[in-house]
Amino acid sequence: SSPHLVQVRERIRINGQPISKDLFNKYFWLVYNRLEQTKDPAHSSMPAYFRFLTIMAFHVFLQEKVDLAVVEVGIGGTYDCTNIVRAPVVCGVSSLGIDHTSILGDTMEKIAWQKGGIFKPGVPAFTVVQPERPLEVLRERAQERKCSLYLCPELDDFEEGCQALELGLAGAHQRSNAALALQLARTWLQRRGCQGLWELKEVPPSSELLGRPVPLAPAFRLTDAMIQGLRDTEWLGRTQVLSHGPVTWYLDGAHTTSSIQACIRWFRQAALNQDKPHDGSEVRVLLFNATGDRDTAALLKLLVPCHFDYAVFCPNFTEVSLANNADQQNFNVTLENALTRCLENQQTWTRLLEEKVGQDPWLPSPPRVGGLLQPTPARGSLLLVPPAPRPLNSPALVFPCLAQALRWVAQGRDPHLAAPVASGAHPHPAASSGAVLLREAAAVHVLVTGSLHLVGGALRLLIPALSQ
Protein backbone atom coordinates (compact mmCIF):
# COMPACT_ATOMS: atom_id res chain seq x y z
CA SER A 1 0.00 0.00 0.00
CA SER A 2 1.06 3.61 -0.26
CA PRO A 3 1.93 6.06 1.04
CA HIS A 4 3.37 5.10 4.41
CA LEU A 5 2.52 7.25 7.42
CA VAL A 6 5.50 6.92 9.75
CA GLN A 7 7.89 4.24 8.45
CA VAL A 8 8.42 2.96 4.93
CA ARG A 9 8.11 -0.63 6.17
CA GLU A 10 4.36 -0.07 6.52
CA ARG A 11 4.03 -0.42 2.75
CA ILE A 12 5.08 -4.09 2.76
CA ARG A 13 3.12 -6.13 5.31
CA ILE A 14 2.83 -9.84 5.97
CA ASN A 15 -0.11 -11.06 8.05
CA GLY A 16 -1.03 -7.44 8.67
CA GLN A 17 2.32 -6.46 10.20
CA PRO A 18 5.01 -4.31 8.55
CA ILE A 19 8.02 -6.46 7.71
CA SER A 20 10.81 -6.29 10.27
CA LYS A 21 13.76 -3.93 9.94
CA ASP A 22 16.06 -6.91 9.38
CA LEU A 23 13.84 -8.32 6.61
CA PHE A 24 13.47 -4.90 4.99
CA ASN A 25 17.24 -4.38 5.09
CA LYS A 26 17.91 -7.87 3.67
CA TYR A 27 15.52 -7.58 0.73
CA PHE A 28 16.31 -3.94 0.01
CA TRP A 29 19.97 -4.72 -0.67
CA LEU A 30 19.19 -7.97 -2.51
CA VAL A 31 16.98 -6.09 -4.97
CA TYR A 32 19.20 -3.00 -5.14
CA ASN A 33 22.38 -4.96 -5.85
CA ARG A 34 20.71 -7.18 -8.44
CA LEU A 35 19.34 -4.13 -10.29
CA GLU A 36 22.72 -2.43 -10.05
CA GLN A 37 24.43 -5.48 -11.58
CA THR A 38 21.95 -5.96 -14.43
CA LYS A 39 21.00 -2.43 -15.48
CA ASP A 40 21.60 -1.28 -19.03
CA PRO A 41 24.92 0.63 -19.12
CA ALA A 42 23.47 3.03 -21.70
CA HIS A 43 20.55 3.90 -19.40
CA SER A 44 22.11 3.59 -16.00
CA SER A 45 19.34 5.05 -13.85
CA MET A 46 17.80 2.95 -11.09
CA PRO A 47 14.00 2.66 -10.73
CA ALA A 48 12.35 5.64 -9.04
CA TYR A 49 11.28 5.40 -5.37
CA PHE A 50 7.79 3.94 -5.83
CA ARG A 51 8.85 1.60 -8.63
CA PHE A 52 11.74 0.26 -6.58
CA LEU A 53 9.49 -0.41 -3.58
CA THR A 54 6.95 -2.15 -5.85
CA ILE A 55 9.63 -4.47 -7.27
CA MET A 56 10.88 -5.09 -3.73
CA ALA A 57 7.37 -5.87 -2.44
CA PHE A 58 6.79 -8.49 -5.13
CA HIS A 59 10.20 -10.01 -4.36
CA VAL A 60 9.40 -10.13 -0.62
CA PHE A 61 6.04 -11.81 -1.23
CA LEU A 62 7.58 -14.41 -3.53
CA GLN A 63 10.50 -15.18 -1.23
CA GLU A 64 8.33 -15.36 1.87
CA LYS A 65 5.83 -17.59 0.00
CA VAL A 66 2.67 -15.70 0.93
CA ASP A 67 -0.65 -17.37 0.04
CA LEU A 68 -2.29 -14.15 -1.07
CA ALA A 69 -0.95 -10.70 -1.96
CA VAL A 70 -3.23 -7.67 -1.84
CA VAL A 71 -1.74 -4.93 -4.02
CA GLU A 72 -3.01 -1.35 -3.95
CA VAL A 73 -2.22 0.66 -7.08
CA GLY A 74 -0.13 3.78 -6.65
CA ILE A 75 -1.88 6.32 -8.89
CA GLY A 76 -4.59 5.41 -11.36
CA GLY A 77 -4.20 1.93 -12.77
CA THR A 78 -3.60 1.70 -16.50
CA TYR A 79 -0.04 3.02 -16.42
CA ASP A 80 0.72 2.32 -12.77
CA CYS A 81 3.82 0.23 -12.15
CA THR A 82 1.83 -2.19 -9.96
CA ASN A 83 -0.24 -3.09 -13.03
CA ILE A 84 2.05 -5.92 -14.20
CA VAL A 85 0.20 -8.84 -12.61
CA ARG A 86 -1.16 -10.59 -15.69
CA ALA A 87 -3.70 -12.85 -14.00
CA PRO A 88 -4.78 -11.66 -10.53
CA VAL A 89 -7.52 -13.62 -8.79
CA VAL A 90 -9.86 -10.61 -8.63
CA CYS A 91 -9.82 -6.83 -9.11
CA GLY A 92 -11.69 -4.12 -7.21
CA VAL A 93 -12.36 -0.43 -7.85
CA SER A 94 -13.50 1.58 -4.83
CA SER A 95 -15.37 4.87 -4.85
CA LEU A 96 -13.98 7.24 -7.50
CA GLY A 97 -12.91 10.79 -6.74
CA ILE A 98 -11.11 13.69 -8.41
CA ASP A 99 -7.40 13.42 -7.61
CA HIS A 100 -4.00 13.46 -9.36
CA THR A 101 -5.64 15.32 -12.23
CA SER A 102 -2.33 16.15 -13.95
CA ILE A 103 -1.76 12.39 -14.42
CA LEU A 104 -5.22 10.84 -14.54
CA GLY A 105 -7.30 13.58 -16.16
CA ASP A 106 -9.60 16.27 -14.89
CA THR A 107 -12.97 14.48 -15.10
CA MET A 108 -14.46 11.46 -13.36
CA GLU A 109 -14.83 9.76 -16.74
CA LYS A 110 -11.12 10.10 -17.54
CA ILE A 111 -10.22 8.87 -14.07
CA ALA A 112 -12.61 5.91 -14.41
CA TRP A 113 -10.85 4.98 -17.69
CA GLN A 114 -7.52 4.92 -15.88
CA LYS A 115 -8.88 2.91 -12.95
CA GLY A 116 -10.41 0.34 -15.30
CA GLY A 117 -6.94 -0.33 -16.67
CA ILE A 118 -6.35 -2.92 -13.96
CA PHE A 119 -9.08 -5.20 -15.39
CA LYS A 120 -7.69 -8.42 -16.90
CA PRO A 121 -9.18 -10.95 -19.37
CA GLY A 122 -11.31 -13.53 -17.61
CA VAL A 123 -10.68 -12.05 -14.16
CA PRO A 124 -13.80 -10.99 -12.24
CA ALA A 125 -13.93 -7.36 -11.12
CA PHE A 126 -16.11 -5.54 -8.60
CA THR A 127 -16.92 -1.92 -7.95
CA VAL A 128 -19.22 0.06 -5.65
CA VAL A 129 -21.95 2.58 -6.42
CA GLN A 130 -20.51 5.27 -8.71
CA PRO A 131 -21.98 8.23 -10.61
CA GLU A 132 -23.75 7.01 -13.76
CA ARG A 133 -21.32 8.13 -16.46
CA PRO A 134 -18.08 6.97 -14.72
CA LEU A 135 -19.78 3.62 -14.06
CA GLU A 136 -20.54 3.33 -17.77
CA VAL A 137 -16.86 4.00 -18.51
CA LEU A 138 -15.87 1.20 -16.13
CA ARG A 139 -18.35 -1.12 -17.87
CA GLU A 140 -16.89 -0.21 -21.29
CA ARG A 141 -13.37 -0.86 -20.02
CA ALA A 142 -14.47 -4.27 -18.69
CA GLN A 143 -15.92 -5.14 -22.10
CA GLU A 144 -12.74 -3.99 -23.86
CA ARG A 145 -10.60 -6.11 -21.58
CA LYS A 146 -12.97 -9.09 -21.67
CA CYS A 147 -13.70 -9.33 -17.98
CA SER A 148 -16.91 -9.53 -15.95
CA LEU A 149 -17.68 -6.45 -13.85
CA TYR A 150 -20.15 -6.57 -10.97
CA LEU A 151 -21.63 -3.95 -8.66
CA CYS A 152 -21.40 -4.70 -4.94
CA PRO A 153 -24.69 -4.69 -3.07
CA GLU A 154 -25.01 -2.33 -0.14
CA LEU A 155 -23.69 -3.58 3.18
CA ASP A 156 -27.28 -3.36 4.48
CA ASP A 157 -28.12 -6.29 2.18
CA PHE A 158 -25.66 -8.50 4.08
CA GLU A 159 -27.39 -7.62 7.35
CA GLU A 160 -30.81 -8.94 6.29
CA GLY A 161 -31.95 -11.43 8.90
CA CYS A 162 -28.86 -11.03 11.08
CA GLN A 163 -27.41 -8.52 13.50
CA ALA A 164 -26.02 -5.20 12.30
CA LEU A 165 -22.40 -5.46 11.18
CA GLU A 166 -19.88 -3.60 13.29
CA LEU A 167 -17.00 -1.97 11.42
CA GLY A 168 -13.61 -1.29 12.97
CA LEU A 169 -13.26 1.78 10.74
CA ALA A 170 -15.58 4.70 11.52
CA GLY A 171 -17.43 6.74 8.90
CA ALA A 172 -20.39 5.92 6.68
CA HIS A 173 -18.12 5.77 3.59
CA GLN A 174 -16.37 2.71 5.04
CA ARG A 175 -19.55 0.67 4.50
CA SER A 176 -19.03 0.62 0.73
CA ASN A 177 -15.37 -0.28 1.24
CA ALA A 178 -16.46 -3.16 3.49
CA ALA A 179 -18.97 -4.41 0.89
CA LEU A 180 -16.20 -4.41 -1.74
CA ALA A 181 -13.79 -6.21 0.61
CA LEU A 182 -16.38 -8.93 1.23
CA GLN A 183 -16.78 -9.62 -2.49
CA LEU A 184 -13.02 -9.74 -3.05
CA ALA A 185 -12.52 -12.08 -0.09
CA ARG A 186 -15.33 -14.39 -1.21
CA THR A 187 -13.90 -14.61 -4.74
CA TRP A 188 -10.49 -15.58 -3.37
CA LEU A 189 -11.97 -18.21 -1.03
CA GLN A 190 -13.99 -19.68 -3.90
CA ARG A 191 -10.78 -19.94 -5.94
CA ARG A 192 -9.25 -21.85 -3.03
CA GLY A 193 -12.07 -24.38 -3.32
CA CYS A 194 -14.09 -23.24 -0.31
CA GLN A 195 -17.44 -23.98 -1.93
CA GLY A 196 -20.81 -24.00 -0.21
CA LEU A 197 -19.73 -21.97 2.80
CA TRP A 198 -22.09 -19.13 1.99
CA GLU A 199 -25.77 -19.20 1.38
CA LEU A 200 -26.62 -16.69 -1.34
CA LYS A 201 -29.30 -14.26 -0.23
CA GLU A 202 -32.08 -13.22 -2.54
CA VAL A 203 -32.26 -9.56 -1.59
CA PRO A 204 -34.00 -7.05 -3.85
CA PRO A 205 -31.50 -4.32 -4.79
CA SER A 206 -32.06 -0.90 -3.26
CA SER A 207 -33.48 1.82 -5.47
CA GLU A 208 -30.00 3.34 -5.72
CA LEU A 209 -28.79 0.22 -7.54
CA LEU A 210 -31.77 -0.27 -9.85
CA GLY A 211 -31.26 0.57 -13.51
CA ARG A 212 -27.45 0.51 -13.29
CA PRO A 213 -25.53 -0.60 -16.39
CA VAL A 214 -23.55 -3.15 -14.35
CA PRO A 215 -25.06 -6.38 -12.95
CA LEU A 216 -25.45 -6.66 -9.20
CA ALA A 217 -23.35 -9.26 -7.39
CA PRO A 218 -25.34 -11.43 -4.98
CA ALA A 219 -25.27 -10.82 -1.25
CA PHE A 220 -24.37 -13.87 0.80
CA ARG A 221 -24.45 -15.03 4.39
CA LEU A 222 -21.21 -14.01 6.10
CA THR A 223 -18.99 -16.41 7.99
CA ASP A 224 -18.03 -15.66 11.59
CA ALA A 225 -14.47 -14.95 10.40
CA MET A 226 -15.74 -12.31 7.95
CA ILE A 227 -17.84 -10.63 10.65
CA GLN A 228 -14.85 -10.59 12.97
CA GLY A 229 -12.58 -9.29 10.20
CA LEU A 230 -14.83 -6.30 9.56
CA ARG A 231 -15.06 -5.59 13.29
CA ASP A 232 -11.31 -5.86 13.97
CA THR A 233 -10.03 -3.90 10.97
CA GLU A 234 -7.64 -1.09 11.89
CA TRP A 235 -6.05 1.44 9.56
CA LEU A 236 -3.98 4.25 11.04
CA GLY A 237 -4.74 7.75 9.85
CA ARG A 238 -8.25 7.02 8.63
CA THR A 239 -11.08 8.26 10.87
CA GLN A 240 -8.76 7.75 13.85
CA VAL A 241 -9.42 9.29 17.27
CA LEU A 242 -6.72 9.82 19.90
CA SER A 243 -7.91 11.05 23.31
CA HIS A 244 -5.00 12.63 25.16
CA GLY A 245 -6.54 14.19 28.27
CA PRO A 246 -8.46 17.36 27.41
CA VAL A 247 -7.07 17.32 23.86
CA THR A 248 -8.74 14.96 21.38
CA TRP A 249 -7.11 14.48 18.00
CA TYR A 250 -9.24 13.44 15.01
CA LEU A 251 -6.99 12.23 12.20
CA ASP A 252 -8.12 11.52 8.66
CA GLY A 253 -5.93 11.56 5.55
CA ALA A 254 -8.73 12.85 3.29
CA HIS A 255 -7.32 14.91 0.41
CA THR A 256 -10.03 15.04 -2.28
CA THR A 257 -13.39 16.82 -2.39
CA SER A 258 -15.36 13.61 -1.86
CA SER A 259 -13.10 12.27 0.90
CA ILE A 260 -13.09 15.63 2.74
CA GLN A 261 -16.91 15.57 2.61
CA ALA A 262 -16.85 12.07 4.11
CA CYS A 263 -14.32 13.22 6.71
CA ILE A 264 -16.58 16.12 7.73
CA ARG A 265 -19.58 13.82 8.12
CA TRP A 266 -17.49 11.57 10.38
CA PHE A 267 -16.01 14.49 12.35
CA ARG A 268 -19.45 16.01 12.94
CA GLN A 269 -20.70 12.72 14.32
CA ALA A 270 -17.57 11.98 16.35
CA ALA A 271 -16.87 15.42 17.80
CA LEU A 272 -19.26 18.22 16.96
CA ASN A 273 -22.44 16.44 18.03
CA GLN A 274 -21.11 15.76 21.51
CA ASP A 275 -22.56 17.71 24.40
CA LYS A 276 -20.63 20.83 25.27
CA PRO A 277 -18.55 20.43 28.46
CA HIS A 278 -20.34 21.72 31.55
CA ASP A 279 -17.22 22.98 33.28
CA GLY A 280 -15.74 25.21 30.63
CA SER A 281 -15.35 26.11 27.01
CA GLU A 282 -14.70 23.97 23.97
CA VAL A 283 -12.14 25.00 21.37
CA ARG A 284 -12.09 23.53 17.86
CA VAL A 285 -8.88 23.57 15.82
CA LEU A 286 -8.26 22.61 12.20
CA LEU A 287 -4.75 21.44 11.32
CA PHE A 288 -4.47 21.33 7.55
CA ASN A 289 -2.06 20.94 4.69
CA ALA A 290 -2.46 19.80 1.08
CA THR A 291 0.10 18.81 -1.52
CA GLY A 292 0.39 18.20 -5.25
CA ASP A 293 -2.06 19.68 -7.73
CA ARG A 294 -5.05 19.71 -5.39
CA ASP A 295 -7.52 22.60 -5.33
CA THR A 296 -6.85 23.66 -1.75
CA ALA A 297 -9.42 26.46 -1.77
CA ALA A 298 -12.19 24.00 -2.67
CA LEU A 299 -11.19 21.70 0.19
CA LEU A 300 -10.98 24.52 2.73
CA LYS A 301 -14.37 25.90 1.66
CA LEU A 302 -15.95 22.57 2.64
CA LEU A 303 -14.39 22.81 6.10
CA VAL A 304 -15.62 26.33 6.97
CA PRO A 305 -19.08 25.19 8.21
CA CYS A 306 -17.41 23.14 10.98
CA HIS A 307 -16.92 26.44 12.85
CA PHE A 308 -13.27 26.07 13.85
CA ASP A 309 -11.95 28.62 16.31
CA TYR A 310 -8.48 28.33 14.80
CA ALA A 311 -7.06 26.99 11.55
CA VAL A 312 -3.39 25.99 11.68
CA PHE A 313 -1.33 25.45 8.53
CA CYS A 314 2.10 23.85 8.42
CA PRO A 315 4.18 21.68 6.06
CA ASN A 316 4.25 17.90 6.43
CA PHE A 317 7.73 18.02 7.99
CA THR A 318 7.74 16.98 11.65
CA GLU A 319 10.74 19.21 12.38
CA VAL A 320 12.32 22.09 10.52
CA SER A 321 15.46 19.93 10.26
CA LEU A 322 14.86 16.54 8.61
CA ALA A 323 18.26 15.10 9.43
CA ASN A 324 16.87 12.37 11.72
CA ASN A 325 13.67 11.69 9.81
CA ALA A 326 14.63 9.92 6.60
CA ASP A 327 11.29 8.13 6.22
CA GLN A 328 9.49 11.44 5.81
CA GLN A 329 11.93 13.28 3.58
CA ASN A 330 10.51 14.53 0.29
CA PHE A 331 13.19 15.61 -2.13
CA ASN A 332 10.59 16.93 -4.58
CA VAL A 333 9.45 19.79 -2.33
CA THR A 334 11.62 22.39 -0.64
CA LEU A 335 10.74 23.81 2.76
CA GLU A 336 10.33 27.25 1.18
CA ASN A 337 7.84 25.94 -1.38
CA ALA A 338 5.90 24.09 1.30
CA LEU A 339 5.75 27.16 3.54
CA THR A 340 4.66 29.37 0.67
CA ARG A 341 1.72 27.04 0.10
CA CYS A 342 0.86 27.22 3.81
CA LEU A 343 0.82 31.02 3.64
CA GLU A 344 -1.51 30.81 0.63
CA ASN A 345 -3.78 28.46 2.60
CA GLN A 346 -3.79 30.89 5.52
CA GLN A 347 -4.85 33.74 3.22
CA THR A 348 -7.52 31.57 1.57
CA TRP A 349 -8.98 30.57 4.96
CA THR A 350 -9.08 34.19 6.16
CA ARG A 351 -10.81 35.22 2.93
CA LEU A 352 -13.35 32.40 3.23
CA LEU A 353 -14.15 33.47 6.81
CA GLU A 354 -14.61 37.07 5.72
CA GLU A 355 -16.98 35.95 2.96
CA LYS A 356 -18.89 33.82 5.44
CA VAL A 357 -19.44 36.63 7.95
CA GLY A 358 -22.92 38.00 7.51
CA GLN A 359 -24.13 34.68 6.10
CA ASP A 360 -23.46 32.73 9.29
CA PRO A 361 -24.36 34.22 12.71
CA TRP A 362 -22.13 31.70 14.48
CA LEU A 363 -18.91 32.99 12.94
CA PRO A 364 -17.25 35.98 14.61
CA SER A 365 -15.69 38.56 12.37
CA PRO A 366 -12.03 37.59 11.92
CA PRO A 367 -9.48 40.24 12.90
CA ARG A 368 -7.59 41.48 9.87
CA VAL A 369 -4.15 40.24 10.76
CA GLY A 370 -1.56 39.91 8.02
CA GLY A 371 0.46 36.75 7.41
CA LEU A 372 2.38 35.84 10.55
CA LEU A 373 5.25 34.62 8.43
CA GLN A 374 6.52 36.94 5.73
CA PRO A 375 8.75 35.63 2.91
CA THR A 376 12.11 37.30 2.57
CA PRO A 377 12.55 37.77 -1.20
CA ALA A 378 16.32 38.07 -1.04
CA ARG A 379 16.90 34.65 0.51
CA GLY A 380 13.65 32.85 -0.26
CA SER A 381 13.50 31.93 3.43
CA LEU A 382 11.08 33.01 6.13
CA LEU A 383 11.46 35.92 8.49
CA LEU A 384 9.76 35.44 11.84
CA VAL A 385 8.33 38.85 12.67
CA PRO A 386 8.53 39.98 16.32
CA PRO A 387 5.40 39.34 18.42
CA ALA A 388 2.75 42.01 18.66
CA PRO A 389 2.67 44.11 21.84
CA ARG A 390 -0.60 42.41 22.87
CA PRO A 391 -1.49 38.71 22.46
CA LEU A 392 -2.71 37.93 18.97
CA ASN A 393 -5.86 35.99 18.40
CA SER A 394 -5.71 35.33 14.68
CA PRO A 395 -8.06 32.62 13.43
CA ALA A 396 -5.47 31.44 10.89
CA LEU A 397 -1.89 30.61 11.89
CA VAL A 398 1.18 29.26 10.08
CA PHE A 399 3.97 27.25 11.69
CA PRO A 400 7.16 26.08 9.97
CA CYS A 401 6.81 22.43 11.10
CA LEU A 402 4.39 19.97 12.65
CA ALA A 403 6.14 19.79 16.01
CA GLN A 404 5.68 23.52 16.60
CA ALA A 405 2.07 23.41 15.39
CA LEU A 406 1.11 20.48 17.64
CA ARG A 407 2.82 21.98 20.67
CA TRP A 408 0.94 25.23 20.14
CA VAL A 409 -2.39 23.43 19.86
CA ALA A 410 -1.77 21.28 22.95
CA GLN A 411 -0.28 24.06 25.12
CA GLY A 412 1.38 21.47 27.34
CA ARG A 413 -1.88 19.60 28.00
CA ASP A 414 -1.06 16.53 25.89
CA PRO A 415 1.31 14.27 27.88
CA HIS A 416 2.89 13.07 24.62
CA LEU A 417 3.96 16.57 23.61
CA ALA A 418 6.25 19.02 25.33
CA ALA A 419 4.92 22.47 26.15
CA PRO A 420 5.74 25.21 23.60
CA VAL A 421 8.97 26.97 24.46
CA ALA A 422 9.64 30.59 23.52
CA SER A 423 13.33 30.60 22.60
CA GLY A 424 15.51 33.56 21.78
CA ALA A 425 14.64 37.24 21.70
CA HIS A 426 11.88 36.77 19.13
CA PRO A 427 9.63 33.80 19.91
CA HIS A 428 7.44 32.50 17.12
CA PRO A 429 4.89 35.25 16.37
CA ALA A 430 1.98 32.82 16.50
CA ALA A 431 2.98 31.36 19.86
CA SER A 432 0.90 33.73 22.00
CA SER A 433 -2.17 33.69 19.77
CA GLY A 434 -5.04 31.87 21.45
CA ALA A 435 -2.73 30.34 24.06
CA VAL A 436 -4.93 31.35 27.00
CA LEU A 437 -8.10 29.99 25.40
CA LEU A 438 -6.41 26.67 24.58
CA ARG A 439 -4.92 26.33 28.08
CA GLU A 440 -8.21 27.06 29.84
CA ALA A 441 -10.66 25.18 27.59
CA ALA A 442 -12.32 22.14 29.12
CA ALA A 443 -12.03 20.33 25.77
CA VAL A 444 -9.92 20.91 22.66
CA HIS A 445 -11.05 19.08 19.49
CA VAL A 446 -8.43 19.01 16.71
CA LEU A 447 -9.15 17.77 13.19
CA VAL A 448 -5.96 16.87 11.27
CA THR A 449 -6.69 16.42 7.56
CA GLY A 450 -5.84 17.35 3.97
CA SER A 451 -2.84 15.06 3.49
CA LEU A 452 -1.88 11.53 4.49
CA HIS A 453 1.69 12.75 4.91
CA LEU A 454 0.49 15.42 7.38
CA VAL A 455 -1.44 12.79 9.33
CA GLY A 456 1.61 10.50 9.29
CA GLY A 457 3.84 13.23 10.67
CA ALA A 458 1.29 13.98 13.40
CA LEU A 459 1.07 10.29 14.33
CA ARG A 460 4.84 10.10 14.56
CA LEU A 461 4.75 12.82 17.23
CA LEU A 462 1.55 11.77 19.02
CA ILE A 463 2.38 8.02 19.19
CA PRO A 464 6.21 7.76 19.50
CA ALA A 465 6.00 3.93 19.58
CA LEU A 466 5.11 3.94 15.87
CA SER A 467 8.68 5.02 15.11
CA GLN A 468 10.21 1.99 16.84
Side-chain angles (χ1 to χ4, degrees):
S1 62
S2 66
H4 62 273
L5 293 173
V6 178
Q7 296 194 69
V8 68
R9 296 183 294 111
E10 298 165 26
R11 295 177 183 235
I12 305 173
R13 298 169 179 261
I14 296 180
N15 291 333
Q17 297 301 314
I19 62 173
S20 68
K21 290 182 179 179
D22 287 344
L23 217 53
F24 186 94
N25 187 52
K26 168 188 170 183
Y27 285 121
F28 177 93
W29 288 113
L30 272 174
V31 173
Y32 186 93
N33 291 334
R34 184 65 57 84
L35 290 171
E36 186 70 37
Q37 292 161 10
T38 57
K39 68 187 179 186
D40 182 352
H43 305 89
S44 58
S45 63
M46 293 287 279
Y49 183 84
F50 184 84
R51 291 187 178 191
F52 180 91
L53 288 173
T54 301
I55 296 167
M56 180 178 160
F58 285 132
H59 186 67
V60 169
F61 294 152
L62 289 166
Q63 294 300 310
E64 295 295 313
K65 298 180 172 56
V66 300
D67 301 300
L68 163 68
V70 181
V71 179
E72 181 204 24
V73 301
I75 294 176
T78 300
Y79 304 116
D80 193 81
C81 67
T82 60
N83 194 29
I84 61 168
V85 181
R86 296 177 184 175
V89 172
V90 62
C91 295
V93 175
S94 58
S95 184
L96 297 171
I98 298 287
D99 197 16
H100 303 294
T101 53
S102 61
I103 299 171
L104 304 182
D106 55 2
T107 67
M108 291 277 275
E109 290 80 7
K110 292 176 182 176
I111 291 171
W113 188 92
Q114 294 280 1
K115 300 283 186 181
I118 65 170
F119 297 157
K120 301 294 185 296
V123 174
F126 295 88
T127 190
V128 297
V129 174
Q130 311 280 10
E132 186 174 359
R133 182 62 194 133
L135 186 60
E136 289 176 358
V137 172
L138 287 176
R139 182 195 62 182
E140 292 163 3
R141 289 288 271 162
Q143 290 172 341
E144 285 172 20
R145 303 179 80 82
K146 297 180 172 55
C147 85
S148 301
L149 176 65
Y150 302 95
L151 199 61
C152 295
E154 299 285 358
L155 199 60
D156 295 359
D157 294 341
F158 291 91
E159 296 175 338
E160 290 289 326
C162 66
Q163 63 190 32
L165 294 170
E166 182 185 342
L167 299 187
L169 299 180
H173 57 290
Q174 295 294 355
R175 291 182 67 81
S176 71
N177 290 335
L180 178 60
L182 288 171
Q183 295 291 349
L184 301 180
R186 179 173 181 263
T187 306
W188 161 253
L189 289 166
Q190 282 183 318
R191 169 68 73 89
R192 291 293 296 265
C194 302
Q195 298 292 340
L197 290 180
W198 308 277
E199 174 190 338
L200 294 184
K201 305 171 81 165
E202 292 298 326
V203 179
S206 64
S207 58
E208 192 175 10
L209 301 179
L210 288 172
R212 295 280 176 170
V214 174
L216 188 67
F220 51 89
R221 196 167 301 282
L222 305 186
T223 64
D224 291 341
M226 287 178 167
I227 293 170
Q228 181 183 349
L230 294 177
R231 184 177 62 242
D232 295 347
T233 298
E234 295 179 351
W235 199 260
L236 293 178
R238 276 77 168 179
T239 59
Q240 183 178 4
V241 180
L242 296 176
S243 296
H244 290 181
V247 185
T248 306
W249 306 89
Y250 301 84
L251 303 110
D252 191 82
H255 49 271
T256 66
T257 301
S258 56
S259 61
I260 286 284
Q261 288 170 331
C263 170
I264 290 167
R265 287 193 294 270
W266 160 72
F267 180 62
R268 283 183 180 279
Q269 184 177 6
L272 304 190
N273 287 344
Q274 293 182 2
D275 293 334
K276 291 288 180 67
H278 299 296
D279 55 345
S281 63
E282 172 191 88
V283 176
R284 300 172 189 167
V285 181
L286 170 66
L287 179 57
F288 181 92
N289 191 39
T291 59
D293 54 8
R294 298 181 176 95
D295 184 351
T296 309
L299 303 183
L300 290 174
K301 188 172 184 178
L302 294 170
L303 289 157
V304 167
C306 289
H307 307 313
F308 292 102
D309 298 290
Y310 299 99
V312 177
F313 304 98
C314 70
N316 295 335
F317 310 126
T318 49
E319 305 283 352
V320 175
S321 169
L322 294 171
N324 299 317
N325 191 13
D327 280 81
Q328 292 182 313
Q329 282 192 26
N330 184 344
F331 294 102
N332 299 316
V333 180
T334 65
L335 179 59
E336 287 79 6
N337 289 342
L339 281 166
T340 299
R341 182 145 189 187
C342 292
L343 288 166
E344 291 169 353
N345 291 341
Q346 177 198 39
Q347 292 163 2
T348 298
W349 183 259
T350 304
R351 175 178 54 78
L352 287 168
L353 290 187
E354 289 172 346
E355 292 172 356
K356 191 75 174 168
V357 169
Q359 304 173 34
D360 191 333
W362 293 99
L363 279 175
S365 178
R368 293 180 176 274
V369 179
L372 296 172
L373 292 170
Q374 299 297 338
T376 307
R379 292 181 291 117
S381 60
L382 292 172
L383 172 68
L384 303 186
V385 299
R390 59 183 179 79
L392 299 168
N393 198 26
S394 170
L397 312 174
V398 174
F399 288 90
C401 67
L402 258 164
Q404 291 190 24
L406 294 185
R407 288 183 194 124
W408 175 82
V409 171
Q411 290 294 321
R413 306 179 74 191
D414 183 330
H416 297 85
L417 297 169
V421 178
S423 58
H426 298 300
H428 194 286
S432 60
S433 180
V436 174
L437 283 175
L438 288 163
R439 281 197 295 265
E440 295 181 353
V444 180
H445 296 293
V446 192
L447 175 61
V448 184
T449 193
S451 165
L452 278 166
H453 301 287
L454 178 78
V455 167
L459 283 170
R460 183 173 184 271
L461 295 166
L462 295 169
I463 312 178
L466 293 176
S467 300
Q468 301 306 312

